[in-house]
Amino acid sequence: MNEILLITLSGPDRAGITTAVTDILAQHTVSVLDIGQAVIHSTLSMGLLVELPQQLDRPQLLSALQVFAADKGLRLGCESVSAESYSSWVDAQGRARYIITLLARKITASQVSRVSAVFAAHGLGIDGITRLSGRLPLGEVAPLSKACVEFSVRGPLADPEAFRRDLLELTSSLEIDLALQQDNMFRRNRRLVAFDMDSTLIEAEVIDELAVEAGVGDQVSAITERAMRGEIDFNESFRARVALLKGLPETALEKIAERLQITEGAEHLIATLRQLGYRTAILSGGFTYFAKRLQQRLGIDHVYANELDIVDGFVTGEVRGEIVDGRRKAELLREIAGREGIDMQQVIAVGDGANDLPMLSIAGLGVAFRAKPLVKQSAEQSISTLGLDAILYLLGISDRYQNAD
């Protein structure tokens, strides 16, 4: 077997370094087995794993590399790699690889240290670390700042559930979010995103807002909370809440619609998804009146919600047609994906309540957004620290490519 050499270069970055190094190697008929480089704050770090031909004049190659490195102010390292070590490296490429995305307002050394310690404890090695968020200014962090780094890790994960639990424990103590995904072909090939509406796309539960206008706010709010925690059946609770709205004038709906706040990052996320050719949907246990208003504002493709019955300008306390509950949301998600010709592995579902769990569980990527504890523990992914546009980071889309604004 030919000799294998690991060449490393580090120092000030400048144009033409990669070209010059590989040109030296080419003059000596060297084959490149692996190559990687990164630049942090104008400082280059490059590594090349190369195979040297048997007839190579090794001292001459090393001398040429040393002259080049000295001329460019770079530190050069050259290390022989044994055949056994190389074989182990090749065998490792068949191991499963995972992507862990760390989300926070600002990333600290303590966060990275404790997260990477969990990787090590579960026998996972870090292949690479990439910053997806933009560069943060010095000093105090802005209230809506975003910071994200993505870890690519590899190794046999003996107990995936224990690994997820360990990551989840860190999220609360460190005020971060951690998303774990298997690194497969679907991760960067999603095509449909379905959203819950209340407390997901908008920062309110519309039925609670309606209840305030009807003077039954406390009664409806108590039922809503129990339903979202999964303590009572959604359909039963929904009909009970709507019944309390009987007699509310239709003009109250317009009043509420005008004051509803869009969730942080929602407009940026959906604009970016549209630019990238994604299809979008609202699957809501709320009401079509508000969902369609949101559809027009954000440019959503599909909307399914509940039709509030109104007669002679007043709410009757009933709904028309089938209630959009958790089961129906999952059915609708499958139907939309089927019509669009999209595999369920290419689907993202986002919600916050117990009635969202069915659609989160069947989607290729299910995201609990600022969710209730039960939902956060049950969903595969959870975002609580940042806005909705943090979902773009889970797709591997860095800030530099988010030009929808």
Side-chain angles (χ1 to χ4, degrees):
M1 185 176 182
N2 294 340
E3 184 180 359
I4 300 168
L5 193 67
L6 176 61
I7 301 168
T8 58
L9 289 162
S10 61
D13 184 39
R14 63 191 71 187
I17 289 178
T18 304
T19 301
V21 171
T22 51
D23 184 58
I24 293 171
L25 298 176
Q27 292 174 28
H28 292 80
T29 325
V30 170
S31 297
V32 177
L33 303 173
D34 194 18
I35 184 172
Q37 73 174 56
V39 177
I40 298 179
H41 197 63
S42 301
T43 299
L44 170 75
S45 179
M46 175 188 289
L48 302 102
L49 189 66
V50 301
E51 181 181 17
L52 309 182
Q54 292 183 354
Q55 70 276 17
L56 175 73
D57 186 336
R58 191 176 188 277
Q60 187 180 60
L61 169 63
L62 296 181
S63 176
L65 290 171
Q66 287 167 350
V67 169
F68 167 75
D71 180 61
K72 300 298 183 183
L74 300 171
R75 292 179 293 278
L76 172 70
C78 294
E79 178 183 347
S80 293
V81 176
S82 68
E84 293 78 12
S85 176
Y86 180 74
S87 295
S88 297
W89 177 77
V90 170
D91 292 341
Q93 69 183 344
R95 295 177 185 170
R97 186 162 62 186
Y98 304 90
I99 299 295
I100 292 90
T101 310
L102 190 161
L103 306 164
R105 293 298 180 186
K106 184 175 184 177
I107 292 173
T108 67
S110 175
Q111 292 166 352
V112 175
S113 173
R114 291 183 61 183
V115 170
S116 59
V118 172
F119 301 161
H122 286 268
L124 299 175
I126 300 174
D127 280 350
I129 304 175
T130 305
R131 174 176 53 83
L132 298 182
S133 53
R135 298 172 182 176
L136 292 174
L138 293 175
E140 198 68 27
V141 176
L144 299 182
S145 65
K146 299 184 296 181
C148 173
V149 291
E150 177 184 278
F151 298 87
S152 176
V153 302
R154 189 192 298 271
L157 196 52
D159 191 342
E161 286 306 311
F163 184 55
R164 286 184 184 279
R165 284 197 304 272
D166 288 348
L167 292 179
L168 187 60
E169 286 179 6
L170 288 182
T171 61
S172 56
S173 62
L174 297 178
E175 296 184 351
I176 60 174
D177 291 317
L178 291 167
L180 167 66
Q181 301 177 71
Q182 188 150 6
D183 194 8
N184 56 34
M185 67 178 183
F186 292 113
R187 178 175 174 257
R188 298 179 187 271
N189 192 29
R190 314 290 186 187
R191 295 175 55 198
L192 168 66
V193 188
F195 300 93
D196 173 44
M197 180 175 67
D198 294 21
S199 298
T200 299
L201 283 177
I202 58 175
E203 294 183 341
E205 292 286 335
V206 168
I207 197 166
D208 290 348
E209 298 294 316
L210 291 169
V212 170
E213 294 294 326
V216 292
D218 291 342
Q219 295 166 262
V220 168
S221 182
I223 299 173
T224 299
E225 278 301 309
R226 291 184 63 198
M228 291 296 101
R229 291 195 301 264
E231 295 175 2
I232 55 176
D233 174 74
F234 178 83
N235 285 12
E236 176 188 349
S237 69
F238 185 72
R239 291 191 186 280
R241 287 175 286 171
V242 173
L244 290 169
L245 303 178
K246 184 176 180 179
L248 181 70
E250 185 178 6
T251 54
L253 276 67
E254 175 67 23
K255 180 180 178 181
I256 291 168
E258 290 296 327
R259 69 174 186 246
L260 291 176
Q261 296 294 314
I262 303 293
T263 299
E264 175 196 349
E267 291 178 290
H268 176 225
L269 168 64
I270 293 172
T272 304
L273 292 174
R274 290 179 63 195
Q275 187 178 57
L276 295 173
Y278 283 69
R279 305 293 285 174
T280 55
I282 292 175
L283 303 179
S284 173
F287 302 108
T288 53
Y289 179 91
F290 303 95
K292 288 181 178 179
R293 291 278 293 262
L294 205 55
Q295 179 183 33
Q296 294 173 354
R297 177 171 175 176
L298 299 177
I300 302 289
D301 297 303
H302 305 277
V303 166
Y304 292 91
N306 296 300
E307 188 72 31
L308 192 61
D309 188 49
I310 299 174
V311 176
D312 297 330
F314 292 90
V315 173
T316 68
E318 297 180 359
V319 291
R320 298 173 184 172
E322 184 178 1
I323 292 176
V324 179
D325 58 4
R327 176 193 59 80
R328 184 62 179 146
K329 285 187 179 188
E331 288 178 353
L332 289 167
L333 188 57
R334 288 190 188 278
E335 289 176 14
I336 295 169
R339 288 201 305 271
E340 298 280 2
I342 296 172
D343 188 281
M344 288 304 295
Q345 284 295 317
Q346 296 175 286
V347 173
I348 301 171
V350 189
D352 73 299
N355 62 320
D356 295 311
L357 283 173
M359 74 172 181
L360 298 187
S361 66
I362 65 171
L365 178 62
V367 180
F369 179 73
R370 297 180 181 175
K372 313 301 183 289
L374 171 67
V375 182
K376 187 173 181 179
Q377 291 170 11
S378 302
E380 285 201 355
Q381 314 298 343
S382 176
I383 296 175
S384 299
T385 305
L386 303 184
L388 267 179
D389 51 353
I391 289 171
L392 295 171
Y393 294 141
L394 304 191
L395 302 178
I397 301 173
S398 69
D399 281 356
R400 73 183 67 181
Y401 299 119
Q402 298 178 30
N403 299 317
D405 287 346

